[in-house]
Amino acid sequence: MREYEPKEIEQKWQRKWEEEKAFEAKDPSPFPILGKKPKWYSLIEFPYPSGDGLHVGHVRSYTALDIVSRKRRMQGYNVLYPIGWDAFGLPTENYAIKTGRQPAEITKENTDNFRKQMKSLGLSFDWSREVNTTDPKYYKWTQWIFLKFFEKGLAYKAKTEVNWCPKDKIVLANEEVVDGRCERCGTVVEKREKEQWMLAITKYAERLLKDLDDVDYPESVKAQQRNWIGRSEGALVKFDDIEVFTTRPDTIFGATFIVKAGKEDRFTGQYVTNPATKEKIPVWESEYVMADYGTGAIMGVPAHDERDYEFARKHVLPLKEVIEPLVRKIGGKDGFRTDVPVKERRAVVSIIKHWSEDKYLGVDWGTTGWRGFSIGGIEEGESAADAGLREIVEETGYKNPEIMKVIPGKIHAQFFQTEKNVNRFAHFEPVLYKLKDGDMANVAEEERKLHRLFWLTPEEMESFITNPDMRLAWNRSRGNNLYAAAGSTEGGKFEEIGFLMNSGEFDGMPIDEARLKIAEKFGKKVTRYKLRDWIFSRQRYWGEPIPIIHCEKCGYVAVPEKDLPVELPKIDKYQPTDTGESPLANVEEWVNIKCPKCSGEAKRETDVMPNWAGSSWYFYRYTDPKNDQEFASKSKLKHWMPIDWYNGGMEHTTLHLLYSRFWNKFLFDLGLVPTSEPYKKRTSQGVILAPQGDKMSKSKGNVVNPDSIIDRFGADTLRLYEMFMGPFEQAIQWNDDALVGPRRFLERVWRLQDKLGGVSDEQAMHSTIKKVSEDIESMGFNTAVSAMMVWANLLEKKEKISMEEFQNFLLVLSPFAPHITEELWEILGHRSSLQKEIWPKYDESKLIRDEITVAIQVNGKVRASLTVPKEISKDELEKLTKDLPEVSKWLENREVKKVIIVPGKIINFVVS
RNA sequence: GCCGGGAUGGCGGAAUGGUAGACGCGCACGACUCAAAAUCGUGUCUCGUAAGGGGUGAGAGUUCGAGUCUCUCUCCCGGCACCA
């Protein structure tokens, strides 16, 4: 056996794969034949080819989907796993300015370097489909799609603010502004108005939001996009000449003032009429109202909005409660049901203060899982306070309570009462009592079992209470009257809703119903979004020219399709101009042009597109990268789309990921792409942090270069390490010392070639195949590697291993460590590549050992373990284990009440 | 403040409600070696000589049994943020 030399092996196989075009995807044949392979499209975010080269973070993402792609090929799929370059952007432009070189030339160097690095990792990309956003043949189609937006009225010009550096006299991109200052010179950035191209993404807000329900994205990604789109349903209501936007029209009777956006808190002197109450209410100005959201004015409802509450307190404005809270339990054994009759009942919540200390009586209802206060039904004709006096003695035994305060306002609760099998609709009235002394009467045994009593300080009470209705009662008893009945907040398993009060004809109406009715009566229903239209202009050089011509007579005219692409002219100075125009504005022979409509004098648009443009559609181009008639042919798109699995960074969630969903929907509406969502499944790798736990950055000098790791340990080790280092979706610190683990593992695998000639350990083999197969699907790469390590350790301990074991081992390891496995496969005498083999199958029936080890517990504590045949009966197992000395000593003189057996795992003796 | 995700040995982490700490790093001891490296073996949560006890951020609860489920709280990471 020769030594394991990763460098030599890896170069050999990388060369072979290239020669054999091993990873090229097969396009659909116009003549479908029997046995056609199903398609699989894996995608990683194509990189920005910076001068710094590949980052270990790229390796994490690319290796993960490389593993998935390699496994899919072995499972018989026709796999598309493409790669390309998102090469327009600032760093290259800035580098070009600094060095006086052509951005295109720099891009070429950087992509060459990235390509070399990627190949040295053994990534199974289809290199024949490489795309580059800066290639005119590519950006012709970016421009073409822009013109479609223009044609449909979704690309338009509008005045917006841009970041202006007064020292450098240039427009800055958002990413060049750090803490409000110019990244380069540190000057405070100013805002300037400028006409810019916009894309109307807001037209798609609703669909971008709704369709999130149908895609397989991490919850965090969906949540972030929903949050970013920021839909809120509400109403526009006019208070005389002032229109406000509110999501809570149901609280309009509680609106006691109006606030308009202003610089500081100020009463305007004006009064307007509340359309619901017909009362005159004051108009104020304050900073807490934003000018650019809603109508720039709000109605102040201090009883049900925290900010309004604070504002009212500060300026002594009246507060009026208009909602009675209702708490509804959803789900769980006591959740309010739809199929059971509802029984209403008045009830008192008794908040009982200690006779001498500042403590209150907490009640724990054992089986119901509730903790709060003593409660009791109110009989007909009885007052809440009197009912409480009666119940306190019955429930708690304390004989001498006295009424301190009847707390105004009802609290409603809906839940299912399990013991009575009814839906309870309770109307609670809180009353505060104080005990005169600690004298107690006898409490029936039954009652005492139902509730346990605790004397608690106010702080302890806060964490003691479980139910929101009790909490509301408690808060009110403490003088906290604010109740923002957040209509649809589903915190945990309680829904907080409510009924209207002090609201005239609407009294008693549930808030969700009142919301609609009141909106209709006093205003109109509207939906608002936080999402803004996309500013699509950059006053820069290194981007796609916007294919528009300005003609004084004809206005904005699209460049005719036959004249696309509008190529970037080669120029010497990329420095942005001091007028805030793009550097292209200086290239007169390029700018001046005849109007395509009237042939009069006209000028080209000199702004370019943002670097998010090219990446918004690149995944279509991969399906048909050389097409010069269309951005991609319909038949190829139909074959390959949607993308089955897209992995990329969390930082793109509200940018690239949202933008590309938007473009996809737009193109879908035009019938140009086949699916309304581009990505079936999206996952995100966690970031790799520097060894000290901070972010890797060039300025900190803590960037780990994959080349040096490959040089020291080999690509297989690097791949394996990055997959093994921790959960894939979690941020993790790089640790140089830990690399030897995966390397030792590969050495161990290498040495197994000398052990052939034994028989298989079937249980170990089948369970590892199962584990690895499943973990790859769920991105549990770390546990997949761990399972293979366990298996390798086991095989190494054996005198001889079987050919079947070793080959299956190489097959499941191959997606992770493709080079060493190919080499060993060849050493075994195979002529064709291992990646043409079939992914191994496992046999469920072989997963259980003949003998199983059972843990023996007494009252849940492990006292012994015993290895028994797998077919053992429950009775036999009980007999066998009972008599073990380690067990019998715990059973002596005790009655075995119950025996719990979980087959193959544990036996638990429950004793008195 | 709101939304999402976390908290387990010296470290990275593992664990369908069923023997907590798999696997890897590190460390200790041993073997091989003139020696070192590499490799292999043994050990490695904690208190205790042992029997046994304690232990997964804190506190409570459900359960025969809780790292895992429920509630309350603390802290950490990511995103949004006077969004009415």
Side-chain angles (χ1 to χ4, degrees):
Chain A
M1 183 186 77
R2 44 179 241 266
E3 257 181 63
Y4 173 47
E5 296 284 0
K7 204 173 280 180
E8 185 189 304
I9 293 170
E10 288 171 5
Q11 282 171 7
K12 166 181 163 187
W13 287 99
Q14 283 159 17
R15 215 179 307 122
K16 271 212 166 139
W17 294 330
E18 196 157 344
E19 282 163 13
E20 290 171 9
K21 302 184 193 304
F23 308 115
E24 288 188 10
K26 307 285 177 296
D27 276 320
S29 154
F31 314 106
I33 44 158
L34 284 172
K36 195 178 76 170
K37 285 180 171 184
K39 72 97 184 178
W40 178 268
Y41 189 171
S42 313
L43 186 69
I44 46 87
E45 286 169 347
F46 65 162
Y48 176 74
S50 74
D52 306 335
L54 209 63
H55 184 273
V56 284
H58 292 120
V59 179
R60 197 178 192 190
S61 170
Y62 303 166
T63 304
L65 280 210
D66 192 50
I67 290 166
V68 172
S69 303
R70 284 175 179 270
K71 179 178 177 227
R72 283 290 178 279
R73 287 191 196 96
M74 293 168 81
Q75 288 174 314
Y77 287 82
N78 177 20
V79 171
L80 174 56
Y81 187 36
I83 184 69
W85 317 106
D86 186 16
F88 275 129
L90 272 181
T92 303
E93 179 168 340
N94 288 337
Y95 189 70
I97 291 169
K98 217 164 78 185
T99 57
R101 297 175 57 201
Q102 290 285 336
E105 199 182 295
I106 297 161
T107 298
K108 166 100 181 31
E109 278 177 21
N110 290 347
T111 53
D112 285 349
N113 182 40
F114 265 68
R115 192 180 301 106
K116 195 187 102 239
Q117 288 184 298
M118 287 176 176
K119 287 190 176 173
S120 75
L121 279 160
L123 295 167
S124 64
F125 290 131
D126 178 349
W127 287 101
S128 71
R129 291 168 187 258
E130 214 176 313
V131 303
N132 186 327
T133 56
T134 66
D135 179 348
K137 289 193 197 101
Y138 179 93
Y139 69 69
K140 168 182 177 176
W141 298 106
T142 313
Q143 292 173 335
W144 184 86
I145 296 168
F146 176 87
L147 288 180
K148 290 287 156 201
F149 279 110
F150 181 67
E151 200 177 284
K152 300 289 170 195
L154 296 180
Y156 63 97
K157 268 220 154 171
K159 271 209 163 121
T160 63
E161 287 185 334
V162 294
N163 303 304
W164 175 259
C165 173
K167 181 157 173 280
D168 292 352
K169 292 186 178 164
I170 55 163
V171 173
L172 298 175
N174 281 332
E175 54 268 37
E176 291 176 303
V177 182
V178 179
D179 297 326
R181 288 167 183 278
C182 173
E183 187 189 37
R184 256 167 301 189
C185 66
T187 313
V188 175
V189 169
E190 292 172 6
K191 295 279 180 190
R192 265 205 184 182
E193 282 225 318
K194 197 173 182 310
E195 282 244 308
Q196 310 236 56
W197 284 98
M198 309 285 289
L199 285 192
I201 189 171
T202 52
K203 287 252 161 44
Y204 283 81
E206 187 59 39
R207 282 164 67 194
L208 287 169
L209 183 70
K210 205 176 121 268
D211 291 354
L212 283 173
D213 296 341
D214 307 324
V215 288
D216 180 11
Y217 291 7
E219 205 37 58
S220 55
V221 170
K222 288 189 182 186
Q224 253 184 67
Q225 289 207 353
R226 286 191 187 113
N227 198 326
W228 186 260
I229 294 166
R231 180 198 155 101
S232 55
E233 249 177 80
L236 289 172
V237 183
K238 277 195 171 152
F239 288 67
D240 295 340
D241 62 322
I242 298 173
E243 189 167 56
V244 302
F245 172 67
T246 177
T247 53
R248 295 295 310 277
D250 51 307
T251 63
I252 193 166
F253 285 86
T256 53
F257 55 92
I258 295 288
V259 192
K260 299 200 289 185
K263 279 244 152 64
E264 53 195 51
D265 292 5
R266 190 179 75 89
F267 175 50
T268 59
Q270 188 191 354
Y271 285 86
V272 292
T273 313
N274 180 326
T277 61
K278 311 293 182 210
E279 282 166 15
K280 291 279 177 195
I281 58 171
V283 179
W284 283 69
E285 281 180 356
S286 174
E287 207 185 3
Y288 87 90
V289 173
M290 297 196 313
D292 62 350
Y293 185 78
T295 61
I298 60 144
M299 61 179 202
V301 184
H304 304 291
D305 181 278
E306 236 173 288
R307 287 153 312 171
D308 295 347
Y309 178 72
E310 270 167 37
F311 190 77
R313 277 232 312 218
K314 201 163 140 199
H315 301 292
V316 202
L317 294 162
L319 179 146
K320 184 178 162 197
E321 275 190 75
V322 291
I323 306 285
E324 280 183 8
L326 162 60
V327 173
R328 183 188 289 159
K329 183 77 195 282
I330 308 282
K333 59 184 177 191
D334 58 344
F336 199 66
R337 303 196 182 171
T338 48
D339 54 342
V340 189
V342 180
K343 289 228 166 141
E344 295 201 36
R345 193 177 191 192
R346 284 175 67 209
V348 57
V349 180
S350 306
I351 299 171
I352 304 161
K353 191 168 191 279
H354 193 266
W355 55 93
S356 61
E357 297 171 64
D358 186 25
K359 285 189 173 173
Y360 296 82
L361 194 63
V363 179
D364 183 327
W365 274 272
T367 50
T368 61
W370 293 17
R371 288 200 309 257
F373 302 98
S374 169
I375 56 172
I378 302 172
E379 301 302 331
E380 188 118 17
E382 199 180 18
S383 77
D386 288 341
L389 288 174
R390 179 170 50 74
E391 282 286 344
I392 289 169
V393 183
E394 277 175 32
E395 257 188 31
T396 71
Y398 286 105
K399 284 202 290 203
N400 300 314
E402 57 182 3
I403 302 160
M404 272 179 83
K405 195 179 169 196
V406 176
I407 297 155
K410 285 183 184 168
I411 296 159
H412 308 274
Q414 292 181 331
F415 52 90
F416 180 74
Q417 208 166 2
T418 36
E419 64 272 28
K420 296 197 175 145
N421 205 38
V422 291
N423 264 330
R424 181 63 73 195
F425 188 176
H427 309 289
F428 289 118
E429 298 173 41
V431 180
L432 183 62
Y433 298 90
K434 188 183 176 176
L435 293 177
K436 283 188 204 144
D437 49 51
D439 283 1
M440 290 190 89
N442 283 333
V443 176
E445 182 65 20
E446 227 172 274
E447 280 285 349
R448 195 171 295 152
K449 267 190 189 163
L450 279 175
H451 348 85
R452 282 186 288 159
L453 307 178
F454 302 89
W455 284 108
L456 303 166
T457 64
E459 292 75 42
E460 288 168 338
M461 189 59 83
E462 293 289 334
S463 61
F464 178 80
I465 301 169
T466 51
N467 297 31
D469 41 3
M470 302 282 184
R471 191 171 296 282
L472 281 164
W474 170 252
N475 285 346
R476 280 168 181 253
S477 78
R478 308 293 293 172
N480 176 3
N481 267 0
L482 177 74
Y483 174 62
S488 57
T489 332
E490 235 170 270
K493 291 211 175 107
F494 290 95
E495 194 181 35
E496 287 182 17
I497 40 188
F499 294 104
L500 269 69
M501 61 192 261
N502 293 332
S503 298
E505 59 179 293
F506 299 97
D507 277 1
M509 194 181 278
I511 54 172
D512 25 352
E513 189 187 338
R515 200 170 289 185
L516 298 174
K517 295 251 164 81
I518 291 183
E520 270 167 27
K521 180 157 182 188
F522 300 111
K524 62 172 186 217
K525 260 187 70 188
V526 286
T527 305
R528 287 285 135 111
Y529 301 90
K530 281 196 267 180
L531 185 70
R532 300 281 101 128
D533 275 346
W534 175 7
I535 303 171
F536 204 67
S537 296
R538 299 292 183 270
Q539 291 70 43
R540 287 292 177 156
Y541 171 78
W542 192 230
E544 302 88 345
I546 292 177
I548 294 287
I549 292 162
H550 300 229
C551 168
E552 293 221 348
K553 238 194 329 200
C554 312
Y556 297 114
V557 179
V559 170
E561 205 178 314
K562 66 173 171 46
D563 295 337
L564 294 181
V566 176
E567 285 200 42
L568 269 176
K570 281 193 180 168
I571 58 176
D572 301 327
K573 285 193 174 165
Y574 310 104
Q575 195 80 40
T577 64
D578 55 13
T579 59
E581 294 302 309
S582 154
L584 291 172
N586 294 334
V587 192
E588 281 183 27
E589 63 280 15
W590 183 81
V591 171
N592 295 318
I593 188 172
K594 294 270 182 283
C595 171
K597 268 194 186 161
C598 68
S599 303
E601 297 289 314
K603 284 184 188 299
R604 282 189 192 277
E605 170 63 61
T606 58
D607 284 358
V608 298
M609 300 186 197
N611 63 332
W612 308 108
S615 59
S616 291
W617 72 281
Y618 73 110
F619 40 89
Y620 311 123
R621 191 63 178 171
Y622 284 141
T623 68
D624 197 4
K626 310 248 156 46
N627 195 329
D628 57 6
Q629 300 301 310
E630 299 165 281
F631 66 84
S633 84
K634 281 196 185 149
S635 65
K636 287 183 180 169
L637 284 170
K638 188 149 186 274
H639 180 255
W640 290 111
M641 294 296 291
I643 287 146
D644 293 281
W645 192 332
Y646 189 19
N647 185 72
M650 274 308 283
E651 69 275 18
H652 293 127
T653 300
T654 55
L655 297 167
H656 160 65
L657 199 69
L658 193 64
Y659 292 151
S660 55
R661 289 184 60 222
F662 162 47
W663 281 42
N664 184 85
K665 286 189 185 304
F666 173 69
L667 295 171
F668 176 70
D669 288 350
L670 297 184
L672 297 172
V673 300
T675 58
S676 70
E677 282 290 334
Y679 320 119
K680 231 187 203 165
K681 173 184 177 129
R682 165 81 177 188
T683 54
S684 264
Q685 78 279 2
V687 290
I688 298 183
L689 302 166
Q692 293 75 28
D694 41 0
K695 260 185 109 171
M696 283 191 188
S697 77
K698 216 171 136 190
S699 56
K700 284 186 193 150
N702 56 9
V703 178
V704 178
N705 181 354
D707 290 346
S708 72
I709 306 293
I710 293 173
D711 199 48
R712 277 160 62 204
F713 296 94
D716 283 338
T717 299
L718 173 60
R719 292 168 61 113
L720 217 41
Y721 167 71
E722 290 211 20
M723 292 300 103
F724 180 62
M725 67 196 299
F728 180 71
E729 309 209 75
Q730 196 174 296
I732 197 144
Q733 292 177 29
W734 184 267
N735 179 4
D736 257 336
D737 296 334
L739 274 153
V740 295
R743 172 62 191 255
R744 282 176 191 157
F745 163 69
L746 291 179
E747 303 263 9
R748 205 165 294 167
V749 173
W750 183 258
R751 286 195 303 267
L752 288 177
Q753 60 178 295
D754 276 357
K755 283 187 173 256
L756 288 166
V759 290
S760 299
D761 175 343
E762 300 227 316
Q763 192 273 339
M765 180 170 75
H766 288 278
S767 62
T768 310
I769 293 170
K770 178 180 158 83
K771 178 83 178 143
V772 175
S773 303
E774 290 174 355
D775 281 357
I776 290 174
E777 301 307 317
S778 61
M779 310 217 93
F781 301 113
N782 54 334
T783 46
V785 175
S786 157
M788 291 187 284
M789 285 173 166
V790 172
W791 194 16
N793 292 346
L794 212 103
L795 293 180
E796 196 178 43
K797 285 200 177 71
K798 288 173 71 170
E799 194 66 34
K800 290 280 174 199
I801 65 170
S802 77
M803 183 60 100
E804 185 195 20
E805 283 178 316
F806 191 45
Q807 292 199 358
N808 277 330
F809 196 108
L810 297 179
L811 290 171
V812 294
L813 177 59
S814 66
F816 296 81
H819 311 89
I820 187 176
T821 45
E822 285 270 28
E823 184 69 15
L824 286 166
W825 193 254
E826 190 184 67
I827 289 170
L828 291 181
H830 294 283
R831 294 246 185 99
S832 82
S833 163
L834 165 147
Q835 45 102 18
K836 290 188 180 141
E837 295 296 318
I838 291 164
W839 185 256
K841 294 206 168 45
Y842 58 89
D843 181 345
E844 286 283 349
S845 69
K846 302 279 173 57
L847 294 176
I848 305 159
R849 290 178 192 280
D850 296 337
E851 293 203 311
I852 49 177
T853 303
V854 177
I856 304 146
Q857 300 181 339
V858 179
N859 279 351
K861 282 203 188 295
V862 179
R863 297 301 180 188
S865 68
L866 185 69
T867 303
V868 294
K870 69 176 174 189
E871 310 82 7
I872 193 164
S873 76
K874 288 192 175 185
D875 285 349
E876 250 180 296
L877 180 69
E878 187 179 334
K879 254 185 232 140
L880 221 60
T881 53
K882 216 175 195 168
D883 295 332
L884 291 172
E886 308 96 296
V887 178
S888 60
K889 72 175 178 187
W890 294 98
L891 301 181
E892 265 170 42
N893 303 324
R894 291 176 193 199
E895 183 199 346
V896 176
K897 283 191 191 161
K898 210 169 162 189
V899 181
I900 289 151
I901 295 175
V902 181
K905 290 257 168 81
I906 60 136
I907 173 165
N908 187 13
F909 294 96
V910 183
V911 298
S912 51

